[in-house]
Amino acid sequence: MNVAASQADSTSGDPLLQPFRLKGLTLRNRVVSTSHASMLDEGGLPLERYQLYHEEKARGGLAMTMAGGSAMTSPDSSWGGGQLDLSSDRIVPHLQSLSQRIHRHGAAVMCQVSHLGRRATAYAGNWLPPVAPSRVRETRNRNFPKEMDAADIDRIVKDYASAAKRCRDGGLDGIETVTGGHLIGQFLSRRTNRRMDGFGGSLENRARFGLMVHEAIRQAVGDDFAVGIRLVIDEAADDGSDFEECLAFARLFEREGDIDFFNCIFGRMDTDLSLAEQNMPGMFTRSAPFLPLVGQFKRETRLPVIHAAAIRDVATARHAIRENLVDLVGMTRAHIADPHIVNKLMRGEEDRIRPCVGASYCLYKKVQCVHNPASGHETIISHTIAGAETPKRVVVVGGGPGGMEAARVAAERGHKVCLLEAGARLGGQVLVAASAVDRKNLIGIVDWRVDELARLGVDVRLNTYADAEIVLAEKPDAVIVATGGVPDMEWLEGAEHCDSVWDVLTGVVPTKDDVLIYDETGRQAAISCALHLARLGRVVSLAIADDTLAIETPYPDRVSFRKLASELGVRVVGDVRLVKAVGHGNGIAARFRHELTGAETEMTAGQLVVERGTAPMEDTYQELRARSANNGVTDIALMTGTKTKGGLHAAGSFVLHRIGDAVASRDIYSSIYEAYRLCSQL
């Protein structure tokens, strides 16, 4: 039987894999990646790393990738970096290179074209004052804009048209504009448009600027170029546009005939909270929260509809297409987790798709996935693991995320791998993190790797504390120590009176009615613990060494943690450092020193929980160092990719490496990234 034909038969009825006609484009399936600011540009240009990031998704089988989140049409549309600059012809040859890369894999490519309006900054980029329909400041951006006059309107309309033409000249298949918090949306919304002239007041007047923009774009690019609009379908604000008004705007744009599709979004983006809950819903938001409303919008309009908002899994995406809620489904963050989603569907390997766990890590600094180390690093790391020239015997000690990734990558390279884990389950600290209700989806990081290790035939031994003799009995060529860490408490005078976040989240210790938590990391652990206890009805205070709660987390998490802490009554005290803990009756007294003034204060509670990261568990590593060929020293050139061979040593010897928290307290991504780039060179 023809295997390819069999696979095609098994997937031919999948709604996600059906072609779709958009303007003059025939898209090969219904799966797209929508525009987002990847922060991979270089000086506003889509150079090699930007292009490879998008090319990987095209290689992975999707129908269309959309570049240029908030790509700037004009010099006064900069937020200070991280945007494609469509305001001059210098970008055209780079767009041509990008489009050629995407097209050779059978996918289409579009770009977002926009002016930020009041979202731009006056204090970076070109240092130009932001402009807007009215002099209304955005909370998130914090700049006061100039109210646009007729000259500004004429200039920016022309800039939109020129930017769209550069995209066409760059070989792209289409563009989209943006309403939302961007300039066109600022004209549409009564929240930001206080004008009394022909561009303010009535619905038709507020739509005039956007209609002018699209008319100019259509004249610049011609009738055969796809032009869409990313349209807010409900601002979710008492003083904003509701669904009915947004639908009226949509019908106006349809009537004028200059657009070819809607890309539907919900809510606002003028605060961190609105971004986290509405425009780009994160970890604290349920899956695909706006699909029903998008489906209603689609029923009442005639143009094709795209939608992407927390559609993280194939089942939800398939539902959206099957129920005719959308025509094209955006799985943008899902493709950061796994750019080969469609190819895996085509091969009948849906169960092998690396899941998006909603961790928002892709919004932390630049595009990168908490458990796909290759995304955003395509210039230095391949998404495809190459086979090794010489199979080796590899022993991995520790089954947390780093150890699991090390075992997975080594096995993909063809090595014979044994994974030794002291506990009864694989997962390490992720098991602790996922026990907090807000972070439960992190378990997908573990579950996916458990399945991959089984598929690859890795010898996984649970309940096995691996000392040096157990490791050496395997006669390894390479040993990877990924034993992680334990809660760091030894530094504290009076630590014997304290519990760790691990103890509380896993239920190892009972909790008292009045709990004080101290956090010196700014990560998710302590605040997750505080919320967990508050939901149980405990009175919770959280003392932090930083000036801001959860400072080392992506902004959607940071603001959501702050909101939940307020809702649940968690008292937060900032800028204090714990120096001592002593017993105090039936509870505990904690002495703090203020980070700014040096003044000492005391807080009492029934229980003190301390979070200061982890101290490395390195006993096995230290036992093995003297017996290893490299004394346990990992060549930094090997880790950074400037050296491409790990090398074998004389018979009977082995190389020894340690990764993740077994080296120093870091995060999930650091452990997985370290494992991937090390073991891909073994």
Side-chain angles (χ1 to χ4, degrees):
M1 182 177 180
N2 184 290
V3 175
S6 175
Q7 291 174 342
D9 289 343
S10 66
T11 59
S12 61
D14 191 334
L16 291 175
L17 301 180
Q18 306 310 306
F20 184 77
R21 187 78 172 169
L22 179 66
K23 191 67 171 180
L25 291 171
T26 299
L27 300 176
R28 58 186 174 181
N29 55 62
R30 302 298 186 93
V31 181
V32 302
S33 173
T34 54
S35 299
H36 54 289
S38 66
M39 313 301 286
L40 296 176
D41 67 286
E42 297 174 53
L45 298 177
L47 303 185
E48 185 77 0
R49 64 177 183 172
Y50 194 102
Q51 293 179 27
L52 288 178
Y53 165 70
H54 281 279
E55 184 181 10
E56 193 66 35
K57 292 183 280 189
R59 181 182 289 112
L62 55 53
M64 177 172 65
T65 187
M66 303 177 81
S70 302
M72 50 192 283
T73 60
S74 310
D76 54 357
S77 181
S78 172
W79 62 39
Q83 303 159 265
L84 292 190
D85 182 2
L86 297 170
S87 67
S88 75
D89 290 342
R90 71 188 183 114
I91 198 170
V92 173
H94 304 292
L95 292 178
Q96 290 171 341
S97 178
L98 171 64
S99 61
Q100 289 166 7
R101 286 179 184 268
I102 303 304
H103 289 155
R104 72 188 179 200
H105 298 290
V109 57
M110 293 190 187
C111 185
Q112 189 175 97
V113 175
S114 189
H115 194 294
L116 291 171
R118 69 175 187 155
R119 302 199 76 215
T121 181
Y123 305 113
N126 294 309
W127 286 74
L128 294 169
V131 297
S134 302
R135 195 167 51 84
V136 180
R137 176 178 179 262
E138 181 186 276
T139 301
R140 187 170 195 266
N141 180 61
R142 306 182 65 81
N143 283 257
F144 289 94
K146 170 200 174 188
E147 182 171 307
M148 294 169 66
D149 57 25
D152 292 319
I153 290 173
D154 290 344
R155 169 178 61 86
I156 292 173
V157 168
K158 291 175 183 176
D159 286 347
Y160 266 100
S162 297
K165 185 176 182 299
R166 291 183 185 107
C167 291
R168 190 201 66 181
D169 293 345
L172 274 60
D173 300 291
I175 60 102
E176 69 169 8
T177 62
V178 194
T179 64
H182 292 227
L183 185 57
I184 296 175
Q186 291 162 30
F187 271 95
L188 295 178
S189 176
R190 288 167 294 180
R191 304 181 70 245
T192 47
N193 187 343
R194 313 276 176 83
R195 300 175 76 100
M196 303 299 290
D197 61 5
F199 292 91
S202 69
L203 185 145
E204 290 77 10
N205 281 358
R206 284 180 281 133
R208 180 167 284 115
F209 175 76
L211 294 172
M212 289 170 59
V213 165
H214 283 89
E215 181 181 14
I217 287 174
R218 182 58 70 195
Q219 290 175 356
V221 300
D223 291 334
D224 59 347
F225 191 70
V227 177
I229 184 168
R230 187 180 288 203
L231 183 74
V232 170
I233 60 172
D234 191 329
E235 281 197 288
D238 291 340
D239 58 346
S241 299
D242 61 12
F243 178 78
E244 291 302 322
E245 183 166 275
C246 291
L247 188 60
F249 284 131
R251 288 170 175 158
L252 269 179
F253 282 105
E254 282 187 330
R255 187 186 70 195
E256 293 302 309
D258 291 321
I259 64 169
D260 304 304
F261 65 88
F262 293 112
N263 185 350
C264 294
I265 55 176
F266 179 90
R268 308 184 313 279
M269 59 178 73
D270 52 3
T271 66
D272 280 351
L273 185 62
S274 60
L275 266 173
E277 293 186 342
Q278 299 173 356
N279 194 257
M280 294 187 291
M283 179 172 65
F284 298 86
T285 307
R286 73 181 189 276
S287 174
F290 313 124
L291 260 180
L293 191 64
V294 173
Q296 183 179 344
F297 176 89
K298 178 171 164 45
R299 288 191 297 272
E300 300 190 42
T301 52
R302 59 179 177 79
L303 291 176
V305 168
I306 303 172
H307 176 59
I311 300 175
R312 302 178 183 125
D313 62 275
V314 167
T316 302
R318 188 176 286 123
H319 164 77
I321 297 296
R322 180 181 287 127
E323 298 303 315
N324 200 31
L325 303 177
V326 298
D327 296 292
L328 297 169
V329 60
M331 301 187 71
T332 308
R333 280 176 280 183
H335 272 83
I336 299 172
D338 191 338
H340 296 168
I341 290 172
V342 174
N343 279 352
K344 289 179 178 178
L345 286 177
M346 293 288 290
R347 295 196 299 263
E349 297 177 351
E350 183 174 337
D351 59 341
R352 290 202 57 214
I353 294 172
R354 187 191 315 246
C356 173
V357 296
S360 298
Y361 204 84
C362 50
L363 299 173
Y364 190 23
K365 294 176 181 176
K366 65 181 184 69
V367 158
Q368 51 194 19
C369 174
V370 71
H371 75 128
N372 184 348
S375 281
H377 294 282
E378 283 82 5
T379 56
I380 56 175
I381 296 178
S382 173
H383 286 264
T384 303
I385 299 169
E389 294 179 6
T390 306
K392 305 178 183 70
R393 176 68 174 170
V394 177
V395 175
V396 179
V397 184
M404 296 176 75
E405 181 72 353
R408 183 188 76 86
V409 175
E412 286 278 14
R413 284 180 56 72
H415 300 313
K416 186 176 181 181
V417 183
C418 175
L419 173 59
L420 308 174
E421 163 56 35
R425 294 178 61 190
L426 294 176
Q429 293 180 50
V430 176
L431 300 180
V432 180
S435 64
V437 64
D438 300 310
R439 306 183 73 203
K440 63 182 183 299
N441 289 338
L442 291 178
I443 200 65
I445 296 170
V446 176
D447 292 344
W448 183 76
R449 284 174 173 78
V450 167
D451 291 343
E452 287 294 288
L453 295 179
R455 179 184 67 84
L456 291 164
V458 172
D459 179 8
V460 177
R461 304 179 196 172
L462 302 176
N463 300 306
T464 303
Y465 180 83
D467 59 18
E469 298 310 315
I470 288 176
V471 172
L472 294 175
E474 299 298 320
K475 296 182 170 49
D477 297 305
V479 177
I480 312 298
V481 174
T483 42
V486 293
D488 186 4
M489 308 279 277
E490 294 180 358
W491 58 277
L492 177 63
E493 182 181 350
E496 67 275 12
H497 300 294
C498 305
D499 297 310
S500 72
V501 165
W502 293 19
D503 294 331
V504 174
L505 287 178
T506 57
V508 169
V509 299
T511 55
K512 298 189 177 179
D513 293 335
D514 178 18
V515 184
L516 171 61
I517 302 173
Y518 172 65
D519 179 30
E520 200 172 308
T521 70
R523 302 175 190 166
Q524 294 95 336
I527 179 60
S528 294
C529 182
L531 299 177
H532 169 73
L533 292 175
R535 289 183 176 113
L536 293 177
R538 310 296 189 261
V539 176
V540 182
S541 296
L542 177 60
I544 61 175
D546 301 303
D547 61 353
T548 302
L549 183 64
I551 196 170
E552 283 191 30
T553 66
Y555 74 82
D557 295 1
R558 191 160 58 244
V559 69
S560 297
F561 278 134
R562 283 167 41 213
K563 176 183 177 181
L564 287 168
S566 296
E567 289 178 340
L568 293 169
V570 176
R571 176 191 175 211
V572 180
V573 179
D575 285 321
V576 294
R577 188 173 298 273
L578 181 62
V579 294
K580 186 178 181 181
V582 296
H584 184 268
N586 292 327
I588 193 165
R591 179 156 291 276
F592 293 93
R593 182 176 295 116
H594 196 277
E595 287 285 87
L596 304 181
T597 68
E600 293 197 353
T601 56
E602 189 172 274
M603 298 175 65
T604 60
Q607 186 174 18
L608 177 59
V609 179
V610 175
E611 168 59 21
R612 196 175 181 253
T614 58
M617 293 181 62
E618 55 182 359
D619 290 352
T620 302
Y621 169 77
Q622 295 296 351
E623 290 175 9
L624 290 168
R625 285 196 71 170
R627 306 195 201 185
S628 69
N630 62 335
N631 195 34
V633 175
T634 301
D635 188 343
I636 289 179
L638 180 67
M639 291 296 293
T640 58
T642 54
K643 178 180 178 181
T644 58
K645 297 284 184 181
L648 280 173
H649 298 271
S653 68
F654 63 94
V655 291
L656 173 66
H657 304 281
R658 62 173 170 165
I659 59 174
D661 282 8
V663 180
S665 180
R666 285 169 287 171
D667 61 11
I668 295 170
Y669 177 79
S670 298
S671 298
I672 291 175
Y673 183 41
E674 200 164 60
Y676 190 100
R677 62 181 181 174
L678 171 66
C679 292
S680 62
Q681 304 297 332
L682 283 179

